[in-house]
Amino acid sequence: METEVKKSGLKITFIVLIGIVLAFVIYYSIMSMLSPVRKLDEIKNEFVGNASEKNESEQQILKDSTYLKLLKEKAFLQSRLVMAETDSIYLSINLADSSINIEISGVVVHKARINSINISKILSGSDYSVLSMLSTPFTISRSIATIKKEPVMLKMAPKDTSEYKPDIMPDTSIAEPVNYILEVNHGIRIYVYQEEKTKFVDRMNQFKFDIKDRLTNTWSSLKSIAVLKVPEYHPFIRIKLPRTDAKIIYRAIPKNGQIAVFT
Amino acid sequence: MENEEIIKGSTQAEPEPDLNPVNVEASKTDSESGQAVNTGSKSFLRGVAIFLGTILFILAIIIFILYITPALNEILPGRKTEIVKNSEVKNSADFKKRLSLLNKDIQRFTLKSNGYTSGQSYIVVNTTENRFFLYTNKKLIREGFCSTGSLMMLKTEKGKVWVFKTPRGKRQIQGKIANPSWKRPDWSFIEEGLPVPPKDDPSRWESGVLGDYALGIGDGYLIHGTIYKRFLGMPVTHGCVRLNDEDLKVIFNTLNIGSKVYIF
């Protein structure tokens, strides 16, 4: 009799626990779904102000696809021109024609083909505020990568000629997996993955890199949700490039380099 | 049908009634212990099922949070481009005016953007791949391998540090010399464990090591030839850009003082 009471007690606890977990998951999902809406509102407030101030005919024009396409093009060109005025190395990502360029002072010094694109709905949509946001270049604030930005090697100077050893030929055949994230203004993240997944190491590396990023994001979302705050949403652009191009771009772009995006 | 019954009989295996009290007692204990074993294995299986179920449940939650929730994020935001069917708007003077202004802006920006690429000769150096690209009139006229900075950090016991890195960004040709001689800097002695001679010591001068030509790009960095041709295509230099003799000659003859050098 006692064991049966114990068993049913356990059962109830178990069911309650599952219920709590499910309720939390639902709450987490709802809060997560709200985060992009809040992000869009933030962008709208920053770039357009109150949308209701625009009259109806203006709003109708802003919905026209031809007009919006041209606006996007203008925003991209404006962004590139701003960057061209600097002497720095910068990136221009044109998702419409699947190309990514390294540019210096307006001169395209390297071109690469994007083979796969996955973009956040916020960025792919044609909201006027997003277009305004795209007309100024983004600045990289943080980057996470599987390769070093500058693979500097330390060499201690020999005390005399007897200690001197000539440099050995560097091994350029090493093909390390290249995956990285560039975080820019407004929490936008640009994910660059190498296209080649021929080796098991490449697949594992990409999986580990991806899962690490997901865990970090989930952890920060959980922290926000724990204090009843809507978690931060990071609009994203995920692209796949040939490994060589991905590496060239990561090594070329300065730590706080600029990026123009055409969606 | 017969077989089925045999199987049924063997699996159910009900014990025949025994009238002997000792045997009855014994069979009772047997059946009780059998039941206990049965209940034990049942509860074990139940335990395993609960354990597996819990693990599956936790896994499902993790997968949901890590993979499904980010996908759910994409359900709400954004607005699809709507094609205006209202011909009133399309034909309105305001719309036409705005479209024309936009087109003019785009034309103006495109022209300005294209103007950045010089029609004159310039060279592009890719330090990751150790390759160069020579352009004239916006057309690629020569490409090939070069050697750039090794990214080696040379450190002395006294804490003096040099990083052998090719400078990146936009530079320009500041000087051109045929048959250049190299004035060895301090690091070149320190690197070999040699004593550093005074600044203007004749032992600092070496000829023939820079090839037939050298083009200065500022801050002591040069585009020059090399005696280590097998290293072309590799990052082995102290910051200069090394080329083979033929490429160097073409570049020397194509680029002028003031020509742009883009290094990335």
Side-chain angles (χ1 to χ4, degrees), chain A residues 175-208:
Chain A
E176 54 210 326
V178 184
N179 303 297
Y180 50 89
I181 305 166
L182 305 172
E183 190 168 320
V184 296
N185 317 40
H186 317 290
I188 297 169
R189 287 182 178 165
I190 300 167
Y191 293 78
V192 180
Y193 300 106
Q194 69 168 46
E195 186 200 357
E196 296 91 340
K197 276 195 265 179
T198 44
K199 288 182 199 161
F200 177 72
V201 185
D202 293 333
R203 286 174 196 274
M204 272 314 287
N205 192 286
Q206 198 162 308
F207 175 73
K208 272 198 264 175

PDB file of all heavy atoms in Angstrom, chain A residues 175-208:
ATOM      1  N   ALA A 175      45.527  22.240 -44.900  1.00  0.00           N
ATOM      2  CA  ALA A 175      44.228  22.839 -45.228  1.00  0.00           C
ATOM      3  C   ALA A 175      43.345  22.778 -43.997  1.00  0.00           C
ATOM      4  O   ALA A 175      42.571  21.857 -43.805  1.00  0.00           O
ATOM      5  CB  ALA A 175      43.600  22.093 -46.393  1.00  0.00           C
ATOM      6  N   GLU A 176      43.504  23.755 -43.124  1.00  0.00           N
ATOM      7  CA  GLU A 176      42.714  23.769 -41.900  1.00  0.00           C
ATOM      8  C   GLU A 176      41.266  24.191 -42.220  1.00  0.00           C
ATOM      9  O   GLU A 176      41.053  24.976 -43.139  1.00  0.00           O
ATOM     10  CB  GLU A 176      43.347  24.742 -40.889  1.00  0.00           C
ATOM     11  CG  GLU A 176      43.542  26.121 -41.457  1.00  0.00           C
ATOM     12  CD  GLU A 176      44.720  26.900 -40.901  1.00  0.00           C
ATOM     13  OE1 GLU A 176      45.027  26.752 -39.734  1.00  0.00           O
ATOM     14  OE2 GLU A 176      45.298  27.678 -41.675  1.00  0.00           O
ATOM     15  N   PRO A 177      40.288  23.669 -41.486  1.00  0.00           N
ATOM     16  CA  PRO A 177      38.898  24.054 -41.758  1.00  0.00           C
ATOM     17  C   PRO A 177      38.678  25.545 -41.502  1.00  0.00           C
ATOM     18  O   PRO A 177      39.199  26.079 -40.525  1.00  0.00           O
ATOM     19  CB  PRO A 177      38.096  23.216 -40.770  1.00  0.00           C
ATOM     20  CG  PRO A 177      39.019  22.144 -40.313  1.00  0.00           C
ATOM     21  CD  PRO A 177      40.387  22.702 -40.387  1.00  0.00           C
ATOM     22  N   VAL A 178      37.952  26.196 -42.386  1.00  0.00           N
ATOM     23  CA  VAL A 178      37.742  27.647 -42.258  1.00  0.00           C
ATOM     24  C   VAL A 178      36.248  27.954 -42.071  1.00  0.00           C
ATOM     25  O   VAL A 178      35.450  27.802 -42.990  1.00  0.00           O
ATOM     26  CB  VAL A 178      38.270  28.390 -43.503  1.00  0.00           C
ATOM     27  CG1 VAL A 178      38.143  29.899 -43.315  1.00  0.00           C
ATOM     28  CG2 VAL A 178      39.714  28.022 -43.793  1.00  0.00           C
ATOM     29  N   ASN A 179      35.891  28.338 -40.874  1.00  0.00           N
ATOM     30  CA  ASN A 179      34.525  28.770 -40.563  1.00  0.00           C
ATOM     31  C   ASN A 179      34.633  29.948 -39.606  1.00  0.00           C
ATOM     32  O   ASN A 179      35.462  29.911 -38.704  1.00  0.00           O
ATOM     33  CB  ASN A 179      33.744  27.659 -39.850  1.00  0.00           C
ATOM     34  CG  ASN A 179      33.702  26.385 -40.662  1.00  0.00           C
ATOM     35  OD1 ASN A 179      33.154  26.342 -41.749  1.00  0.00           O
ATOM     36  ND2 ASN A 179      34.306  25.325 -40.145  1.00  0.00           N
ATOM     37  N   TYR A 180      33.840  30.967 -39.829  1.00  0.00           N
ATOM     38  CA  TYR A 180      33.895  32.097 -38.901  1.00  0.00           C
ATOM     39  C   TYR A 180      32.601  32.903 -38.861  1.00  0.00           C
ATOM     40  O   TYR A 180      31.765  32.786 -39.761  1.00  0.00           O
ATOM     41  CB  TYR A 180      35.078  33.018 -39.200  1.00  0.00           C
ATOM     42  CG  TYR A 180      35.232  33.463 -40.629  1.00  0.00           C
ATOM     43  CD1 TYR A 180      34.608  34.609 -41.111  1.00  0.00           C
ATOM     44  CD2 TYR A 180      36.036  32.744 -41.492  1.00  0.00           C
ATOM     45  CE1 TYR A 180      34.787  35.029 -42.414  1.00  0.00           C
ATOM     46  CE2 TYR A 180      36.219  33.147 -42.807  1.00  0.00           C
ATOM     47  CZ  TYR A 180      35.587  34.285 -43.266  1.00  0.00           C
ATOM     48  OH  TYR A 180      35.750  34.685 -44.562  1.00  0.00           O
ATOM     49  N   ILE A 181      32.493  33.696 -37.800  1.00  0.00           N
ATOM     50  CA  ILE A 181      31.323  34.573 -37.627  1.00  0.00           C
ATOM     51  C   ILE A 181      31.844  35.995 -37.461  1.00  0.00           C
ATOM     52  O   ILE A 181      32.761  36.225 -36.673  1.00  0.00           O
ATOM     53  CB  ILE A 181      30.523  34.208 -36.360  1.00  0.00           C
ATOM     54  CG1 ILE A 181      30.122  32.729 -36.370  1.00  0.00           C
ATOM     55  CG2 ILE A 181      29.284  35.081 -36.234  1.00  0.00           C
ATOM     56  CD1 ILE A 181      29.635  32.219 -35.022  1.00  0.00           C
ATOM     57  N   LEU A 182      31.280  36.902 -38.221  1.00  0.00           N
ATOM     58  CA  LEU A 182      31.621  38.313 -38.067  1.00  0.00           C
ATOM     59  C   LEU A 182      30.393  39.003 -37.506  1.00  0.00           C
ATOM     60  O   LEU A 182      29.332  38.992 -38.148  1.00  0.00           O
ATOM     61  CB  LEU A 182      31.998  38.933 -39.420  1.00  0.00           C
ATOM     62  CG  LEU A 182      33.107  38.241 -40.216  1.00  0.00           C
ATOM     63  CD1 LEU A 182      33.233  38.842 -41.604  1.00  0.00           C
ATOM     64  CD2 LEU A 182      34.439  38.332 -39.497  1.00  0.00           C
ATOM     65  N   GLU A 183      30.510  39.550 -36.307  1.00  0.00           N
ATOM     66  CA  GLU A 183      29.362  40.254 -35.724  1.00  0.00           C
ATOM     67  C   GLU A 183      29.516  41.738 -36.005  1.00  0.00           C
ATOM     68  O   GLU A 183      30.565  42.319 -35.746  1.00  0.00           O
ATOM     69  CB  GLU A 183      29.258  39.993 -34.226  1.00  0.00           C
ATOM     70  CG  GLU A 183      27.940  40.514 -33.687  1.00  0.00           C
ATOM     71  CD  GLU A 183      27.625  40.042 -32.282  1.00  0.00           C
ATOM     72  OE1 GLU A 183      27.883  38.873 -31.970  1.00  0.00           O
ATOM     73  OE2 GLU A 183      27.112  40.871 -31.513  1.00  0.00           O
ATOM     74  N   VAL A 184      28.485  42.318 -36.573  1.00  0.00           N
ATOM     75  CA  VAL A 184      28.535  43.738 -36.935  1.00  0.00           C
ATOM     76  C   VAL A 184      27.464  44.529 -36.167  1.00  0.00           C
ATOM     77  O   VAL A 184      26.830  43.976 -35.266  1.00  0.00           O
ATOM     78  CB  VAL A 184      28.384  43.918 -38.469  1.00  0.00           C
ATOM     79  CG1 VAL A 184      29.539  43.281 -39.206  1.00  0.00           C
ATOM     80  CG2 VAL A 184      27.068  43.364 -38.970  1.00  0.00           C
ATOM     81  N   ASN A 185      27.258  45.769 -36.555  1.00  0.00           N
ATOM     82  CA  ASN A 185      26.276  46.625 -35.871  1.00  0.00           C
ATOM     83  C   ASN A 185      24.892  45.960 -35.792  1.00  0.00           C
ATOM     84  O   ASN A 185      24.571  45.113 -36.598  1.00  0.00           O
ATOM     85  CB  ASN A 185      26.059  47.935 -36.633  1.00  0.00           C
ATOM     86  CG  ASN A 185      27.331  48.542 -37.134  1.00  0.00           C
ATOM     87  OD1 ASN A 185      28.212  47.842 -37.608  1.00  0.00           O
ATOM     88  ND2 ASN A 185      27.436  49.831 -37.029  1.00  0.00           N
ATOM     89  N   HIS A 186      24.113  46.419 -34.863  1.00  0.00           N
ATOM     90  CA  HIS A 186      22.732  45.960 -34.646  1.00  0.00           C
ATOM     91  C   HIS A 186      22.657  44.449 -34.369  1.00  0.00           C
ATOM     92  O   HIS A 186      21.637  43.818 -34.608  1.00  0.00           O
ATOM     93  CB  HIS A 186      21.833  46.308 -35.847  1.00  0.00           C
ATOM     94  CG  HIS A 186      22.068  47.680 -36.368  1.00  0.00           C
ATOM     95  ND1 HIS A 186      21.704  48.804 -35.666  1.00  0.00           N
ATOM     96  CD2 HIS A 186      22.671  48.123 -37.502  1.00  0.00           C
ATOM     97  CE1 HIS A 186      22.063  49.879 -36.340  1.00  0.00           C
ATOM     98  NE2 HIS A 186      22.661  49.494 -37.449  1.00  0.00           N
ATOM     99  N   GLY A 187      23.753  43.880 -33.900  1.00  0.00           N
ATOM    100  CA  GLY A 187      23.781  42.455 -33.559  1.00  0.00           C
ATOM    101  C   GLY A 187      23.692  41.531 -34.761  1.00  0.00           C
ATOM    102  O   GLY A 187      23.458  40.333 -34.616  1.00  0.00           O
ATOM    103  N   ILE A 188      23.898  42.082 -35.954  1.00  0.00           N
ATOM    104  CA  ILE A 188      23.825  41.240 -37.165  1.00  0.00           C
ATOM    105  C   ILE A 188      25.058  40.351 -37.208  1.00  0.00           C
ATOM    106  O   ILE A 188      26.176  40.802 -36.939  1.00  0.00           O
ATOM    107  CB  ILE A 188      23.734  42.118 -38.438  1.00  0.00           C
ATOM    108  CG1 ILE A 188      22.449  42.940 -38.399  1.00  0.00           C
ATOM    109  CG2 ILE A 188      23.802  41.265 -39.708  1.00  0.00           C
ATOM    110  CD1 ILE A 188      22.364  44.029 -39.442  1.00  0.00           C
ATOM    111  N   ARG A 189      24.840  39.092 -37.542  1.00  0.00           N
ATOM    112  CA  ARG A 189      25.961  38.158 -37.619  1.00  0.00           C
ATOM    113  C   ARG A 189      26.098  37.601 -39.021  1.00  0.00           C
ATOM    114  O   ARG A 189      25.112  37.168 -39.618  1.00  0.00           O
ATOM    115  CB  ARG A 189      25.760  37.009 -36.631  1.00  0.00           C
ATOM    116  CG  ARG A 189      25.969  37.459 -35.211  1.00  0.00           C
ATOM    117  CD  ARG A 189      25.824  36.324 -34.247  1.00  0.00           C
ATOM    118  NE  ARG A 189      26.077  36.822 -32.898  1.00  0.00           N
ATOM    119  CZ  ARG A 189      25.747  36.160 -31.813  1.00  0.00           C
ATOM    120  NH1 ARG A 189      25.172  34.989 -31.907  1.00  0.00           N
ATOM    121  NH2 ARG A 189      26.006  36.665 -30.634  1.00  0.00           N
ATOM    122  N   ILE A 190      27.333  37.651 -39.501  1.00  0.00           N
ATOM    123  CA  ILE A 190      27.617  37.085 -40.821  1.00  0.00           C
ATOM    124  C   ILE A 190      28.395  35.800 -40.604  1.00  0.00           C
ATOM    125  O   ILE A 190      29.506  35.817 -40.091  1.00  0.00           O
ATOM    126  CB  ILE A 190      28.384  38.098 -41.701  1.00  0.00           C
ATOM    127  CG1 ILE A 190      27.529  39.367 -41.871  1.00  0.00           C
ATOM    128  CG2 ILE A 190      28.738  37.492 -43.055  1.00  0.00           C
ATOM    129  CD1 ILE A 190      28.252  40.558 -42.429  1.00  0.00           C
ATOM    130  N   TYR A 191      27.759  34.708 -40.952  1.00  0.00           N
ATOM    131  CA  TYR A 191      28.392  33.395 -40.788  1.00  0.00           C
ATOM    132  C   TYR A 191      29.017  33.003 -42.119  1.00  0.00           C
ATOM    133  O   TYR A 191      28.342  33.001 -43.140  1.00  0.00           O
ATOM    134  CB  TYR A 191      27.354  32.330 -40.427  1.00  0.00           C
ATOM    135  CG  TYR A 191      26.728  32.498 -39.068  1.00  0.00           C
ATOM    136  CD1 TYR A 191      25.726  33.449 -38.844  1.00  0.00           C
ATOM    137  CD2 TYR A 191      27.123  31.718 -37.994  1.00  0.00           C
ATOM    138  CE1 TYR A 191      25.157  33.608 -37.594  1.00  0.00           C
ATOM    139  CE2 TYR A 191      26.549  31.866 -36.732  1.00  0.00           C
ATOM    140  CZ  TYR A 191      25.573  32.813 -36.551  1.00  0.00           C
ATOM    141  OH  TYR A 191      24.992  32.966 -35.305  1.00  0.00           O
ATOM    142  N   VAL A 192      30.296  32.689 -42.090  1.00  0.00           N
ATOM    143  CA  VAL A 192      30.966  32.230 -43.314  1.00  0.00           C
ATOM    144  C   VAL A 192      31.469  30.806 -43.072  1.00  0.00           C
ATOM    145  O   VAL A 192      32.228  30.566 -42.139  1.00  0.00           O
ATOM    146  CB  VAL A 192      32.129  33.175 -43.705  1.00  0.00           C
ATOM    147  CG1 VAL A 192      32.808  32.689 -44.977  1.00  0.00           C
ATOM    148  CG2 VAL A 192      31.639  34.603 -43.883  1.00  0.00           C
ATOM    149  N   TYR A 193      30.996  29.911 -43.904  1.00  0.00           N
ATOM    150  CA  TYR A 193      31.422  28.513 -43.784  1.00  0.00           C
ATOM    151  C   TYR A 193      32.168  28.121 -45.050  1.00  0.00           C
ATOM    152  O   TYR A 193      31.827  28.570 -46.133  1.00  0.00           O
ATOM    153  CB  TYR A 193      30.219  27.579 -43.651  1.00  0.00           C
ATOM    154  CG  TYR A 193      29.340  27.846 -42.461  1.00  0.00           C
ATOM    155  CD1 TYR A 193      28.106  28.447 -42.613  1.00  0.00           C
ATOM    156  CD2 TYR A 193      29.744  27.479 -41.180  1.00  0.00           C
ATOM    157  CE1 TYR A 193      27.280  28.685 -41.524  1.00  0.00           C
ATOM    158  CE2 TYR A 193      28.930  27.710 -40.088  1.00  0.00           C
ATOM    159  CZ  TYR A 193      27.695  28.313 -40.264  1.00  0.00           C
ATOM    160  OH  TYR A 193      26.889  28.543 -39.184  1.00  0.00           O
ATOM    161  N   GLN A 194      33.141  27.261 -44.879  1.00  0.00           N
ATOM    162  CA  GLN A 194      33.813  26.749 -46.074  1.00  0.00           C
ATOM    163  C   GLN A 194      32.859  25.780 -46.773  1.00  0.00           C
ATOM    164  O   GLN A 194      32.096  25.061 -46.129  1.00  0.00           O
ATOM    165  CB  GLN A 194      35.104  26.046 -45.710  1.00  0.00           C
ATOM    166  CG  GLN A 194      34.929  24.732 -44.962  1.00  0.00           C
ATOM    167  CD  GLN A 194      36.222  23.955 -44.883  1.00  0.00           C
ATOM    168  OE1 GLN A 194      37.266  24.515 -44.577  1.00  0.00           O
ATOM    169  NE2 GLN A 194      36.158  22.675 -45.161  1.00  0.00           N
ATOM    170  N   GLU A 195      32.901  25.819 -48.084  1.00  0.00           N
ATOM    171  CA  GLU A 195      31.992  25.005 -48.875  1.00  0.00           C
ATOM    172  C   GLU A 195      32.396  23.526 -48.857  1.00  0.00           C
ATOM    173  O   GLU A 195      31.553  22.639 -48.785  1.00  0.00           O
ATOM    174  CB  GLU A 195      32.039  25.539 -50.302  1.00  0.00           C
ATOM    175  CG  GLU A 195      31.060  24.923 -51.229  1.00  0.00           C
ATOM    176  CD  GLU A 195      31.470  25.128 -52.668  1.00  0.00           C
ATOM    177  OE1 GLU A 195      32.478  25.791 -52.942  1.00  0.00           O
ATOM    178  OE2 GLU A 195      30.776  24.584 -53.525  1.00  0.00           O
ATOM    179  N   GLU A 196      33.705  23.265 -48.893  1.00  0.00           N
ATOM    180  CA  GLU A 196      34.206  21.897 -48.989  1.00  0.00           C
ATOM    181  C   GLU A 196      33.940  21.122 -47.701  1.00  0.00           C
ATOM    182  O   GLU A 196      34.270  21.590 -46.627  1.00  0.00           O
ATOM    183  CB  GLU A 196      35.720  21.878 -49.249  1.00  0.00           C
ATOM    184  CG  GLU A 196      36.125  22.485 -50.564  1.00  0.00           C
ATOM    185  CD  GLU A 196      36.421  23.969 -50.471  1.00  0.00           C
ATOM    186  OE1 GLU A 196      35.964  24.619 -49.513  1.00  0.00           O
ATOM    187  OE2 GLU A 196      37.103  24.477 -51.366  1.00  0.00           O
ATOM    188  N   LYS A 197      33.309  19.970 -47.869  1.00  0.00           N
ATOM    189  CA  LYS A 197      33.122  19.103 -46.714  1.00  0.00           C
ATOM    190  C   LYS A 197      33.516  17.690 -47.126  1.00  0.00           C
ATOM    191  O   LYS A 197      32.812  16.718 -46.911  1.00  0.00           O
ATOM    192  CB  LYS A 197      31.666  19.149 -46.251  1.00  0.00           C
ATOM    193  CG  LYS A 197      31.396  20.317 -45.335  1.00  0.00           C
ATOM    194  CD  LYS A 197      30.103  20.162 -44.617  1.00  0.00           C
ATOM    195  CE  LYS A 197      28.997  20.877 -45.349  1.00  0.00           C
ATOM    196  NZ  LYS A 197      27.700  20.748 -44.729  1.00  0.00           N
ATOM    197  N   THR A 198      34.664  17.613 -47.767  1.00  0.00           N
ATOM    198  CA  THR A 198      35.097  16.327 -48.305  1.00  0.00           C
ATOM    199  C   THR A 198      35.619  15.415 -47.214  1.00  0.00           C
ATOM    200  O   THR A 198      35.435  14.215 -47.256  1.00  0.00           O
ATOM    201  CB  THR A 198      36.174  16.542 -49.370  1.00  0.00           C
ATOM    202  OG1 THR A 198      37.086  17.524 -48.873  1.00  0.00           O
ATOM    203  CG2 THR A 198      35.590  17.012 -50.679  1.00  0.00           C
ATOM    204  N   LYS A 199      36.258  16.022 -46.214  1.00  0.00           N
ATOM    205  CA  LYS A 199      36.854  15.203 -45.156  1.00  0.00           C
ATOM    206  C   LYS A 199      35.940  15.165 -43.944  1.00  0.00           C
ATOM    207  O   LYS A 199      35.194  16.113 -43.680  1.00  0.00           O
ATOM    208  CB  LYS A 199      38.198  15.807 -44.745  1.00  0.00           C
ATOM    209  CG  LYS A 199      39.287  15.629 -45.774  1.00  0.00           C
ATOM    210  CD  LYS A 199      40.556  16.231 -45.194  1.00  0.00           C
ATOM    211  CE  LYS A 199      41.554  16.521 -46.288  1.00  0.00           C
ATOM    212  NZ  LYS A 199      42.564  17.461 -45.867  1.00  0.00           N
ATOM    213  N   PHE A 200      36.063  14.076 -43.171  1.00  0.00           N
ATOM    214  CA  PHE A 200      35.283  13.924 -41.948  1.00  0.00           C
ATOM    215  C   PHE A 200      35.630  15.049 -40.961  1.00  0.00           C
ATOM    216  O   PHE A 200      34.755  15.586 -40.290  1.00  0.00           O
ATOM    217  CB  PHE A 200      35.570  12.550 -41.336  1.00  0.00           C
ATOM    218  CG  PHE A 200      34.871  12.322 -40.034  1.00  0.00           C
ATOM    219  CD1 PHE A 200      33.496  12.108 -39.994  1.00  0.00           C
ATOM    220  CD2 PHE A 200      35.574  12.327 -38.836  1.00  0.00           C
ATOM    221  CE1 PHE A 200      32.847  11.910 -38.787  1.00  0.00           C
ATOM    222  CE2 PHE A 200      34.925  12.140 -37.625  1.00  0.00           C
ATOM    223  CZ  PHE A 200      33.566  11.921 -37.603  1.00  0.00           C
ATOM    224  N   VAL A 201      36.920  15.407 -40.948  1.00  0.00           N
ATOM    225  CA  VAL A 201      37.397  16.478 -40.055  1.00  0.00           C
ATOM    226  C   VAL A 201      36.647  17.787 -40.352  1.00  0.00           C
ATOM    227  O   VAL A 201      36.251  18.507 -39.435  1.00  0.00           O
ATOM    228  CB  VAL A 201      38.916  16.709 -40.272  1.00  0.00           C
ATOM    229  CG1 VAL A 201      39.456  17.713 -39.279  1.00  0.00           C
ATOM    230  CG2 VAL A 201      39.662  15.403 -40.186  1.00  0.00           C
ATOM    231  N   ASP A 202      36.443  18.064 -41.642  1.00  0.00           N
ATOM    232  CA  ASP A 202      35.742  19.284 -42.033  1.00  0.00           C
ATOM    233  C   ASP A 202      34.310  19.288 -41.507  1.00  0.00           C
ATOM    234  O   ASP A 202      33.828  20.279 -40.968  1.00  0.00           O
ATOM    235  CB  ASP A 202      35.705  19.412 -43.562  1.00  0.00           C
ATOM    236  CG  ASP A 202      37.085  19.647 -44.137  1.00  0.00           C
ATOM    237  OD1 ASP A 202      37.926  20.195 -43.412  1.00  0.00           O
ATOM    238  OD2 ASP A 202      37.313  19.273 -45.301  1.00  0.00           O
ATOM    239  N   ARG A 203      33.638  18.143 -41.673  1.00  0.00           N
ATOM    240  CA  ARG A 203      32.251  18.041 -41.213  1.00  0.00           C
ATOM    241  C   ARG A 203      32.169  18.204 -39.697  1.00  0.00           C
ATOM    242  O   ARG A 203      31.329  18.928 -39.178  1.00  0.00           O
ATOM    243  CB  ARG A 203      31.679  16.662 -41.580  1.00  0.00           C
ATOM    244  CG  ARG A 203      31.362  16.526 -43.029  1.00  0.00           C
ATOM    245  CD  ARG A 203      30.957  15.098 -43.334  1.00  0.00           C
ATOM    246  NE  ARG A 203      31.006  14.837 -44.755  1.00  0.00           N
ATOM    247  CZ  ARG A 203      30.004  15.094 -45.579  1.00  0.00           C
ATOM    248  NH1 ARG A 203      28.891  15.590 -45.118  1.00  0.00           N
ATOM    249  NH2 ARG A 203      30.116  14.835 -46.868  1.00  0.00           N
ATOM    250  N   MET A 204      33.066  17.500 -38.998  1.00  0.00           N
ATOM    251  CA  MET A 204      33.069  17.551 -37.536  1.00  0.00           C
ATOM    252  C   MET A 204      33.362  18.966 -37.054  1.00  0.00           C
ATOM    253  O   MET A 204      32.722  19.462 -36.130  1.00  0.00           O
ATOM    254  CB  MET A 204      34.131  16.592 -36.974  1.00  0.00           C
ATOM    255  CG  MET A 204      33.642  15.185 -36.759  1.00  0.00           C
ATOM    256  SD  MET A 204      32.060  15.082 -35.938  1.00  0.00           S
ATOM    257  CE  MET A 204      32.498  15.515 -34.267  1.00  0.00           C
ATOM    258  N   ASN A 205      34.327  19.594 -37.715  1.00  0.00           N
ATOM    259  CA  ASN A 205      34.722  20.940 -37.315  1.00  0.00           C
ATOM    260  C   ASN A 205      33.563  21.910 -37.477  1.00  0.00           C
ATOM    261  O   ASN A 205      33.284  22.722 -36.594  1.00  0.00           O
ATOM    262  CB  ASN A 205      35.920  21.377 -38.151  1.00  0.00           C
ATOM    263  CG  ASN A 205      36.556  22.616 -37.588  1.00  0.00           C
ATOM    264  OD1 ASN A 205      35.997  23.695 -37.719  1.00  0.00           O
ATOM    265  ND2 ASN A 205      37.689  22.466 -36.938  1.00  0.00           N
ATOM    266  N   GLN A 206      32.856  21.788 -38.597  1.00  0.00           N
ATOM    267  CA  GLN A 206      31.728  22.680 -38.856  1.00  0.00           C
ATOM    268  C   GLN A 206      30.604  22.433 -37.850  1.00  0.00           C
ATOM    269  O   GLN A 206      29.984  23.363 -37.356  1.00  0.00           O
ATOM    270  CB  GLN A 206      31.220  22.496 -40.281  1.00  0.00           C
ATOM    271  CG  GLN A 206      30.369  23.668 -40.730  1.00  0.00           C
ATOM    272  CD  GLN A 206      30.239  23.709 -42.224  1.00  0.00           C
ATOM    273  OE1 GLN A 206      31.228  23.662 -42.942  1.00  0.00           O
ATOM    274  NE2 GLN A 206      29.027  23.762 -42.711  1.00  0.00           N
ATOM    275  N   PHE A 207      30.375  21.142 -37.544  1.00  0.00           N
ATOM    276  CA  PHE A 207      29.337  20.790 -36.583  1.00  0.00           C
ATOM    277  C   PHE A 207      29.675  21.368 -35.209  1.00  0.00           C
ATOM    278  O   PHE A 207      28.830  21.991 -34.556  1.00  0.00           O
ATOM    279  CB  PHE A 207      29.179  19.265 -36.512  1.00  0.00           C
ATOM    280  CG  PHE A 207      28.208  18.812 -35.459  1.00  0.00           C
ATOM    281  CD1 PHE A 207      26.847  18.989 -35.637  1.00  0.00           C
ATOM    282  CD2 PHE A 207      28.661  18.243 -34.277  1.00  0.00           C
ATOM    283  CE1 PHE A 207      25.944  18.596 -34.650  1.00  0.00           C
ATOM    284  CE2 PHE A 207      27.775  17.850 -33.298  1.00  0.00           C
ATOM    285  CZ  PHE A 207      26.418  18.026 -33.482  1.00  0.00           C
ATOM    286  N   LYS A 208      30.940  21.178 -34.797  1.00  0.00           N
ATOM    287  CA  LYS A 208      31.374  21.668 -33.483  1.00  0.00           C
ATOM    288  C   LYS A 208      31.262  23.194 -33.418  1.00  0.00           C
ATOM    289  O   LYS A 208      30.800  23.751 -32.432  1.00  0.00           O
ATOM    290  CB  LYS A 208      32.830  21.246 -33.234  1.00  0.00           C
ATOM    291  CG  LYS A 208      32.944  19.882 -32.598  1.00  0.00           C
ATOM    292  CD  LYS A 208      34.314  19.711 -31.971  1.00  0.00           C
ATOM    293  CE  LYS A 208      35.245  19.007 -32.895  1.00  0.00           C
ATOM    294  NZ  LYS A 208      36.622  18.881 -32.441  1.00  0.00           N
TER     295      LYS A 208
END
